[in-house]
Every structure is written in structure tokens, then in C-alpha cells.
Amino acid sequence: MIVKMIVSPKWFAGALGIVTILAVFALVLGTPSASASDIRVACVGDRITSDTKYTDNLSSMLGENYTVGNFGVGRTTVSLQFNKPYMNQPAFQDAQRFNPDIVVIMLGTNDAYLTEQQRSNFVNDYKALINSFSSLPSNPKVYIVVPPPVFNNNMGLPAEVLDNDVIPLVSQTAIDLGLPRIDVHTPLLDNPEDFQDGVHPNVIGSQVIASEIYNALT
């Protein structure tokens, strides 16, 4: 036996409206979204960025209106003449896709390993890295960080090359492009105890770096 059901147009319209409302509520409740007011901060760097607590500390200091992304890669350099330039790493593309409002670049420490000839294009290579971020649709503000000091270490990283050769090139790049510099080198200069191996900051050293960057950003 076939039973025919006659549905009132008014009843159908009402039921459809209820279903639509429920679907919208389910969608809203089930899909988290970032606040439109969030300021996205991309932290670019080497292992001093990737493997320390500085980005976590910075995120806590900046608060809930900021989203901080850690795009550090160990042993990377500014120079394209080395075997691991930052611009050749997947994290470089990830940082660009992050569409940041602010970019904080702390590189140069590993460039102290390079010969003077290998560093000859340092400033041009750094400018290329910076311009790749400056040209993003989000038009981010770029900050260049003067890297922390190096103390006695078993990695063969020469402090005198970092201090006398690399850091002046970092500063020159910032001056040429008119970009703000954040100096985390000077506050840590007399604190070798804040470095776990003479190169990479410990918890206290990371806090100092985060504080200096926070003060510059705010």
C-alpha cells in the first residue's frame, strides 16, 4: 500500500528554516577561526630561533592579539655561498605563506663560519631575503636583529669574526634599507652563563632576547 503525504508549503518552509539555522550553528561552533585583529609575527632565524624558548616567551609577552610563528632552521646562513642558506629552506616559503604583519630576522651567527670571500655578497644576499618579505601582500614591517654574542664553544664558531666582520655587515644592511635594528648582542655581552654551549642561549638568555624584541615591537 502506498501512502501519499501532502506537505503544506508553510510547514516545509518553516522546517527548512530550522534546519538552516541549526546547520549554521554547527558550522560556527565546529570551525575555529583566528581573530581578524591578530597581528602575525614571523620569527626567521637559525637554531637560536628554532631550538630556544625565545619565540614562546615573545608570544606570551605579546599576548592573545598576536600570533607568533617560529620559522627558524638550524645551521642556516644569510649568505647564499654556504651549503645551507636560509632562503633555500622550506621554512622560508612557510614564513612567506604565513602572510606576516611583522618579520623578525635573526641570522648571521653561522655566517661567521664562512671565509671572507664567501661573505663578500652578504649584504646583497641579506637584502634579497628582506625584499622577499617586504614585497608580500601583507606589506610587513621587517626588523633586523643583531645576533647574540658567542663565547668559548666546541663548535669552532669564531667570536671575533662574528663581532668584527658579520655584525657590521648586519648593521650596514639595516642602515642601507632604513630598517629598525634590535640589539640582543649588547645586553648579553657579559653573560656567558646565559648560554648552554657558548653559542645557543639557555632559558635566561632566551628571555633576554624575547624582552629586547618585545620592547622593539611595542
Side-chain angles (χ1 to χ4, degrees):
M1 181 176 65
I2 299 175
V3 177
K4 292 185 179 181
M5 180 177 289
I6 300 175
V7 179
S8 166
K10 288 185 178 180
W11 182 92
F12 180 79
L16 182 60
I18 292 172
V19 171
T20 301
I21 291 171
L22 291 175
V24 169
F25 270 111
L27 182 63
V28 170
L29 293 175
T31 307
S33 60
S35 169
S37 63
D38 277 2
I39 299 172
R40 302 170 75 81
V41 181
C43 295
V44 170
D46 48 36
R47 187 180 163 194
I48 295 174
T49 296
S50 66
D51 291 4
T52 67
K53 291 291 184 182
Y54 118 67
T55 57
D56 292 337
N57 293 336
L58 179 62
S59 179
S60 297
M61 292 176 182
L62 289 172
E64 61 183 9
N65 291 330
Y66 288 78
T67 300
V68 177
N70 186 330
F71 299 99
V73 182
R75 291 190 62 79
T76 51
T77 61
V78 168
S79 175
L80 297 175
Q81 310 305 312
F82 198 47
N83 60 7
K84 199 173 181 182
Y86 184 82
M87 288 185 72
N88 290 355
Q89 309 308 310
F92 170 58
Q93 285 80 28
D94 291 341
Q96 290 181 308
R97 284 192 290 267
F98 187 62
N99 205 31
D101 301 295
I102 296 172
V103 180
V104 177
I105 305 177
M106 184 164 56
L107 285 167
T109 299
N110 293 316
D111 290 88
Y113 281 118
L114 278 62
T115 65
E116 185 176 351
Q117 179 62 34
Q118 287 175 309
R119 287 195 309 274
S120 61
N121 289 320
F122 180 96
V123 172
N124 287 334
D125 292 344
Y126 209 160
K127 288 179 180 179
L129 172 63
I130 292 166
N131 289 336
S132 70
F133 287 111
S134 298
S135 60
L136 290 174
S138 59
N139 190 29
K141 184 169 185 179
V142 179
Y143 293 80
I144 295 181
V145 180
V146 179
V150 169
F151 300 96
N152 291 333
N153 63 90
N154 59 11
M155 288 169 279
L157 191 62
E160 65 279 3
V161 175
L162 178 67
D163 292 346
N164 300 330
D165 298 334
V166 175
I167 287 179
L169 294 174
V170 171
S171 297
Q172 180 186 334
T173 304
I175 292 170
D176 287 354
L177 296 178
L179 296 178
R181 281 174 293 174
I182 305 175
D183 181 10
V184 305
H185 187 92
T186 303
L188 290 165
L189 201 52
D190 296 323
N191 300 81
E193 69 279 3
D194 293 342
F195 291 76
Q196 55 189 338
D197 53 13
V199 177
H200 302 100
N202 60 17
V203 173
I204 297 175
S206 299
Q207 183 69 40
V208 171
I209 292 174
S211 296
E212 293 298 324
I213 294 175
Y214 170 79
N215 290 337
L217 299 189
T218 58

